[in-house]
Every structure is written in C-alpha cells, then in structure tokens.
Amino acid sequence: MPPISSPGAEARFDATIAAEEKIEPRDWMPEKYRRNLVRQISQHAHSEVVGQLPEGNWITRAPTLRRKATLLAKVQDEAGHGLYLYSAAETLGVSREQMQDDLLSGRAKYASIFNYPSLTWADVGAIGWLVDGAAIVNQISLCRTSYGPYARALVRICKEESFHMRQGFEIMQTLCGGTSEQKAMAQDALDRWWWPTLMMFGPHDAESAHSQQSMQWKIKRQSNDELRQKFVDQSVAQAEHLGLVLPDSDLKWNAARDHYDFGAIDWDEFQRVLNGGGHCNRSRIKARRDADQDGEWVREAMLTYADKQRARAVEDAA
Amino acid sequence: MSARRLPLWEVFIRSRRGLDHKHVGSLHAADPEQAMQAARDTYTRRQEGVSIWIVRAEDIHASQSDDAQAFFDPAEDKVYRHPTFYDVPEDLKL
C-alpha cells in the first residue's frame, strides 16, 4: 500500500533526514525523492548487470584455471549486486519488469564506461583495478545514503567488492612483472581505461543535474568532484608500485591543496559515449535484449510448472 | 517481456546457529523450490547462512509507519517494565 500523505508528513520526513536516520519503504516521502532514488538505484543495478559483459567476454580465454575461477566468481558477484539493487528499487513501488524495460528501450542509463571494449587480457586487470576501484570509492560513500534498503544493499556490495579490485590489481602486477610485451599490454590497458574511469564519477559538481538535490536529501553524501579526487589520490601510488605511468601529463602533487592536480577531462567524449556513440553501446543493449528474449520460454516454463505443482497438490489433498 | 510475472519473495537468512533469521532482500521466482535455489545463489555466495526462509512478499503484513506513533505509544510511559525503575540496594545482586 502506498504511504498516505498526512499533515506534517513532510516535516517528519525532513526531521528524519536531518537526524541522520534512514527513510524506510513505508514512510511517506516526497515524490521527487522517490523518483530520484528509483533513477539512481535502477541505473546502479543496470550498471552492475551490463558490467558483466566486458569481463564475461574473457572468461573462456582466461590464461589459467585460477584466473578463470576468480573472474567467474567476480562476474557472478556483479549479477548478484544487480539483484540486490533491483530488490532495493522495488521497495519504492517500481516493478522489475518496468526497470528491465527501461534498460532495453534505452530510457534508463547505465555506467557509460561499459560501452568501451575489453580488447586484451590486461583490460580485465585494468577493469578490476580501476573501474571496480572507482566503484568502491563511490559505493563506500553511498553506504551512508538516507534510504534504508539502498544503504543495506550497498553495505553488502562493498563487502564483496574489495576482492574485485584486488584480483584486478593482481593481474596487473603479474603482467608488470612479466615480459616487456606483457608490461606494455598493461600500460596500454591503463592508457585506455584511465580517463573513462575518471568520467565514472559524473560531471563536475557545477554541471551535475541531480547532485544538489540528492545531497540535500542525503541520497548522495559526497560530491562527484570530491570522490574523483579521492580516487586519483589513491591511484597514484598504486600505479607507481606497478611501474606504470598514468596517462596525464598534468598530474602532479599540490602541497597547498594536499591533493594531486590532474588534467582536464574530455567531457565531449563523455557525452558522446553516454548518448550512444561509444564502441559497444549497441552490442551491450543487444546482449541484454537477447538474454531477455532467450530467457522468456524459461520463465514461462517455470510458471507453468509451478501452476501444475499447485494443481497437483490441490488434487492430492482432495 | 513475459506477460505473466514471476512473483516476489522475501528472503531471511540465519547466519549461524543460535541467531535469528534476518531479512536480507527479495527475489523473483515461480515457486518455493526455485526461490530457495535463487536465494542460495544470490544471498549466500560466501557462506553467509546456515538456513534460509523464503516468504511470498504478498503474505507479509506490516504495520503502517504513518500510525507508528499511536501504535507504539502505549509502551512509552511504562518505564516500570524495565529493571532500572526499581529502587533496591545495589550490593545485593538483585
């Protein structure tokens, strides 16, 4: 049953947010808060699901059984994370079918980074290290989000995600300790993934469409630029350890700010890829549509089987 | 898209013996058996549980948060339900 609006409901909602308490599914909430959350959580879920594709591509070609087992476990986790998040979004009254439909029709977005191709095995390392690393920075901050079911899903996700980053870094470490050809492969993957990873945090704070309201409602707890800076700062030492060079000639320590300065992000490329101009936009959506269509008879069969079992149970009881 | 929808199930997990089952999330499945397997795959990939309950979401009745104040208020002024209400000698292990 949808929460009923009563006098003072909005004041109670504001007071709950101000007191750092969580909003729960049956609470009254402003319609815009609900819509904002549905958009953010479903996009987050779609990103987990589509995020399986660039890496899933490499499961059959993983170089060792150990690498194959870990990559398979990681990709399975991404599917699980998608399910936790869809489950959280459904508590807001949106159906799984609606969200799925929005993804397949292109109405809903997913993280644009997954529209880049994974060309070599080193990309699997770079994705785990950088893309999952960036996702962790973002998600740790979101664990303090004001909506209870979203916060709880994120706590579970963060617990699982740290292995993703480590397995990626380990792949990079192995490549960097290998032949010069292998190290060049690692550098090439870093060169291609670094800037798209920085774009994952979204537009600069001043240009971010939903940020301000989301911060007020404590859906988001730290701004895009704050989180991006945190990620850059932690990545420098990691790249140094690998003996790789971050592809940014403007990157340098700024003692006055106590942070690394870094170069300008190509926002035109961000917009182009976001709006369908990336290398893999079409194939990603096609893979999801195919999965939906190919699975239809399975879902139908499951329901038919369940009906039959129920009918049989009634017969047996009679 | 399938015309009929897979129903929603709520999942509860006992993380180890001696603890209560705790709500962890939900999933879609056609029947209890499939829901159980999906719950295992979705919510216990790292040995998070020793027992799973699944319940059809539509079978759960919840208190309305709008009435919460009136509903839970009767307990508010009954402080004598707590041991600290009673004034007794401290050293007698009461």
Side-chain angles (χ1 to χ4, degrees), chain A:
Chain A
M1 217 166 82
I4 307 149
S5 179
S6 65
E10 183 149 13
R12 275 202 300 279
F13 171 86
D14 290 340
T16 306
I17 299 268
E20 289 288 324
E21 284 193 41
K22 302 294 182 201
I23 302 297
E24 294 294 345
R26 285 166 176 265
D27 294 342
W28 180 90
M29 59 187 84
E31 181 54 22
K32 268 175 81 178
Y33 176 84
R34 195 188 72 85
R35 278 209 308 268
N36 207 328
L37 271 171
V38 167
R39 183 187 51 78
Q40 177 165 337
I41 303 174
S42 65
Q43 284 186 17
H44 194 163
H46 297 327
S47 302
E48 299 281 355
V49 170
V50 176
Q52 296 175 92
L53 299 170
E55 290 175 296
N57 199 25
W58 281 92
I59 291 172
T60 55
R61 290 174 284 165
T64 67
L65 192 56
R66 179 177 183 270
R67 296 286 186 216
K68 184 183 279 201
T70 53
L71 184 57
L72 196 57
K74 176 185 190 291
V75 172
Q76 194 190 9
D77 271 356
E78 308 296 2
H81 297 174
L83 291 173
Y84 304 158
L85 291 163
Y86 284 130
S87 162
E90 282 178 272
T91 64
L92 292 159
V94 60
S95 74
R96 180 76 63 90
E97 287 79 5
Q98 183 63 53
M99 289 187 275
Q100 174 85 348
D101 232 27
D102 287 349
L103 172 65
L104 298 186
S105 69
R107 266 194 305 278
K109 300 256 188 279
Y110 53 88
S112 206
I113 190 132
F114 300 120
N115 293 317
Y116 290 83
S118 49
L119 301 178
T120 73
W121 172 250
D123 288 38
V124 176
I127 291 171
W129 170 37
L130 299 173
V131 178
D132 287 80
I136 291 171
V137 168
N138 191 27
Q139 288 172 156
I140 283 181
S141 171
L142 282 172
C143 284
R144 288 167 50 235
T145 189
S146 59
Y147 188 57
Y150 191 27
R152 293 191 283 276
L154 280 157
V155 168
R156 197 169 297 123
I157 288 171
C158 285
K159 269 190 203 161
E160 299 183 355
E161 197 100 47
S162 68
F163 119 68
H164 298 182
M165 186 186 183
R166 282 162 169 242
Q167 67 91 35
F169 190 80
E170 196 199 69
I171 290 172
M172 295 302 267
Q173 217 170 222
T174 306
L175 287 169
C176 290
T179 64
S180 59
E181 212 182 341
Q182 286 168 325
K183 187 161 183 185
M185 224 167 97
Q187 181 66 54
D188 167 63
L190 171 58
D191 290 347
R192 283 181 290 106
W193 288 94
W194 175 250
W195 289 103
T197 303
L198 295 192
M199 295 175 198
M200 278 175 73
F201 295 96
H204 286 307
D205 298 346
E207 277 109 50
S208 180
H210 305 283
S211 271
Q212 218 186 348
Q213 182 68 77
S214 286
M215 295 279 280
Q216 268 166 17
W217 276 330
K218 299 184 183 170
I219 294 174
K220 281 173 71 165
R221 303 310 303 257
Q222 285 171 290
S223 77
N224 295 352
D225 285 327
E226 266 178 275
L227 294 165
R228 184 164 23 236
Q229 182 71 59
K230 197 170 172 207
F231 175 75
V232 171
D233 289 347
Q234 76 177 35
S235 298
V236 172
Q238 293 165 1
E240 264 170 28
H241 175 88
L242 293 171
L244 297 176
V245 182
L246 295 176
D248 180 356
S249 53
D250 294 325
L251 187 81
K252 63 169 188 297
W253 179 249
N254 182 332
R257 287 203 311 127
D258 215 18
H259 287 296
Y260 282 93
D261 288 338
F262 53 97
I265 292 169
D266 182 355
W267 293 111
D268 290 341
E269 175 180 328
F270 176 74
Q271 288 300 338
R272 186 173 55 77
V273 177
L274 192 68
N275 294 323
H279 195 84
C280 300
N281 297 60
R282 268 173 299 176
S283 76
R284 299 301 184 224
I285 289 298
K286 183 179 182 304
R288 294 312 308 155
R289 285 200 185 123
D290 289 351
D292 184 54
Q293 278 162 21
D294 294 348
E296 188 162 357
W297 72 269
V298 180
R299 293 190 295 275
E300 199 54 50
M302 282 162 74
L303 285 162
T304 308
Y305 177 77
D307 286 347
K308 231 179 187 173
Q309 293 295 104
R310 261 195 302 277
R312 201 165 287 165
V314 171
E315 251 171 55
D316 288 350

Side-chain angles (χ1 to χ4, degrees), chain A residues 26 77 87 90 160 307, chain B residues 4 24 26 28 45-46 65:
Chain A
R26 285 166 176 265
D77 271 356
S87 162
E90 282 178 272
E160 299 183 355
D307 286 347
Chain B
R4 289 169 66 208
V24 292
S26 64
H28 291 269
R45 289 192 303 284
R46 288 173 178 76
S65 74

Side-chain angles (χ1 to χ4, degrees), chain B residues 10-77:
Chain B
E10 298 295 336
V11 182
F12 301 78
I13 291 183
R14 184 202 295 288
S15 56
R16 45 189 176 86
R17 291 182 165 277
L19 296 182
D20 296 321
H21 285 78
K22 194 175 147 199
H23 183 245
V24 292
S26 64
L27 51 82
H28 291 269
D31 65 28
E33 199 185 333
Q34 288 158 5
M36 194 59 88
Q37 285 174 2
R40 180 202 58 195
D41 293 345
T42 307
Y43 293 105
T44 65
R45 289 192 303 284
R46 288 173 178 76
Q47 297 181 295
E48 288 93 339
V50 294
S51 164
I52 300 175
W53 286 351
I54 45 158
V55 183
R56 277 285 288 262
E58 62 183 29
D59 289 335
I60 291 182
H61 300 268
S63 58
Q64 289 297 318
S65 74
D66 215 45
D67 303 336
Q69 218 175 350
F71 190 71
F72 294 106
D73 253 2
E76 198 180 55
D77 56 359

